[in-house]
Amino acid sequence: MSDLKTLPWPFPDEDRTFRYGVNVQPAPRLTTTLAGEWGEHVVDLGDDYLYMMQLRRDILDRDPGRAQMLPHMMPACWDVMLFLMRQLAASYPASMLLEGKGNRYRWTNRLLGIEQSFTLGDLFTLPEDPLTFIGCQVPDDILLLTERDDQLWFDAALVTSSADWSVKFDIGMSFDEIHVPVPGLTAGGVTGRAQSFMRMLTTEQIYRRVNWTFSAVGSRLRDTSLETMPQWMHDMPELISQKDWGRIQLRIELEHLIRLPLTGALVFNIRTYLAPLSDIAAVPQWAEQLAAIVTELPQEIAEYKGIDGYRMEAMAWLRTQSEVLAATG
């Protein structure tokens, strides 16, 4: 069962179609939805915080390569660690505390039982590299980009919730190279506009955007990376063959775009939410809107999202189920 109360619903109320675009807005900003609210903090811990952090540790223990850092990125990793600590301390003062000045700090995370003194830039004062240290204290995947040759480059990341991609393969690629497979994005100029927007970001303002697709699994598994594909590749075909449309999940990615204050590197944080169609059916306006958008999608976008083969049947079920729930109230 998903928690719709904190779900960042990805569609404006009036939308009945979807095309890729640079859909960004200032953050943080509390946003009310039909089911609740979201967006008050840059880092949303969520009710499943302890579970999510244990899950991340388990994935990294099995596959340390989910954390990737090109050699020149260590200063940016320190920068993002300090930035996220400050965000956490400001948003959750009862649980998180950052003390210190100059280069010497003390960090407290009461939820995870962490008390750590460290000197900024001194690896010997942390139990692990700074990206992994802070990455195992936030639910978001953390991607770091730098600028050179008039391009953004994906040079460091900690990713344990990727959807059909591999951080090991993409590390070191340019922004354009990563987005080439997305229909209408590069050719339509969206990547160029997105890259221009990100390069103009300053340290004064954080922005956010919401992306969506459908999960490749019918469970709470967020890690549908290429590395784990043998574990989940048969899940969706089984759901489709059984016409188990209620277990198909909308996968929503809340992304924050941040310019770091010390190094000027760009941060792309991604927090993943999952909502099965059986839950969405309980909110009639959402069910109707999602069905309208998905059935209208151009075929190339539906194919890229992996839903073209079943979207009409699944959305017909969603409409019918929503009507049944509304009638039985």
Side-chain angles (χ1 to χ4, degrees), residues 119-161:
T119 301
L120 195 67
D122 184 353
L123 284 172
F124 293 103
T125 60
L126 283 182
E128 57 200 333
D129 70 84
L131 181 59
T132 302
F133 184 69
I134 194 61
C136 288
Q137 298 182 60
V138 297
D140 309 53
D141 287 332
I142 305 171
L143 288 69
L144 291 170
L145 298 93
T146 55
E147 299 177 68
R148 58 182 182 274
D149 302 326
D150 296 323
Q151 266 278 358
L152 292 177
W153 298 84
F154 177 41
D155 285 348
L158 190 154
V159 179
T160 60
S161 302

Side-chain angles (χ1 to χ4, degrees), residues 61-100:
D61 286 345
R62 292 193 302 270
D63 187 0
R66 301 297 188 89
Q68 293 283 330
M69 288 157 279
L70 297 186
H72 66 279
M73 291 301 290
M74 190 56 70
C77 292
W78 283 102
D79 200 358
V80 74
M81 184 188 80
L82 197 60
F83 176 87
L84 290 174
M85 284 178 174
R86 285 172 172 152
Q87 287 291 324
L88 289 167
S91 297
Y92 308 99
S95 304
M96 313 283 184
L97 178 65
L98 181 65
E99 303 170 285

Side-chain angles (χ1 to χ4, degrees), residues 17-197:
T17 62
F18 172 82
R19 300 295 184 270
Y20 285 109
V22 186
N23 56 322
V24 296
Q25 55 186 229
R29 186 177 74 181
L30 186 64
T31 301
T32 302
T33 71
L34 293 169
E37 59 187 29
W38 63 279
E40 182 179 4
H41 307 296
V42 171
V43 180
D44 171 25
L45 296 186
D47 294 336
D48 57 351
Y49 175 66
L50 297 181
Y51 166 77
M52 290 284 288
M53 294 302 88
Q54 185 58 56
L55 185 63
R56 172 155 289 170
R57 279 292 181 191
D58 292 344
I59 292 172
L60 287 172
D61 286 345
R62 292 193 302 270
D63 187 0
R66 301 297 188 89
Q68 293 283 330
M69 288 157 279
L70 297 186
H72 66 279
M73 291 301 290
M74 190 56 70
C77 292
W78 283 102
D79 200 358
V80 74
M81 184 188 80
L82 197 60
F83 176 87
L84 290 174
M85 284 178 174
R86 285 172 172 152
Q87 287 291 324
L88 289 167
S91 297
Y92 308 99
S95 304
M96 313 283 184
L97 178 65
L98 181 65
E99 303 170 285
K101 65 178 183 178
N103 287 337
R104 297 181 64 83
Y105 294 89
R106 183 169 184 81
W107 168 246
T108 302
N109 180 334
R110 295 189 178 96
L111 297 178
L112 295 179
I114 294 173
E115 293 272 356
Q116 182 68 47
S117 296
F118 64 91
T119 301
L120 195 67
D122 184 353
L123 284 172
F124 293 103
T125 60
L126 283 182
E128 57 200 333
D129 70 84
L131 181 59
T132 302
F133 184 69
I134 194 61
C136 288
Q137 298 182 60
V138 297
D140 309 53
D141 287 332
I142 305 171
L143 288 69
L144 291 170
L145 298 93
T146 55
E147 299 177 68
R148 58 182 182 274
D149 302 326
D150 296 323
Q151 266 278 358
L152 292 177
W153 298 84
F154 177 41
D155 285 348
L158 190 154
V159 179
T160 60
S161 302
S162 60
D164 303 343
W165 63 280
S166 167
V167 63
K168 301 171 193 175
F169 181 80
D170 285 0
I171 199 72
M173 284 188 177
S174 71
F175 192 81
D176 283 347
E177 288 171 332
I178 291 171
H179 291 93
V180 162
V182 185
L185 212 60
T186 303
V190 178
T191 32
R193 295 197 300 275
Q195 189 165 191
S196 295
F197 176 84

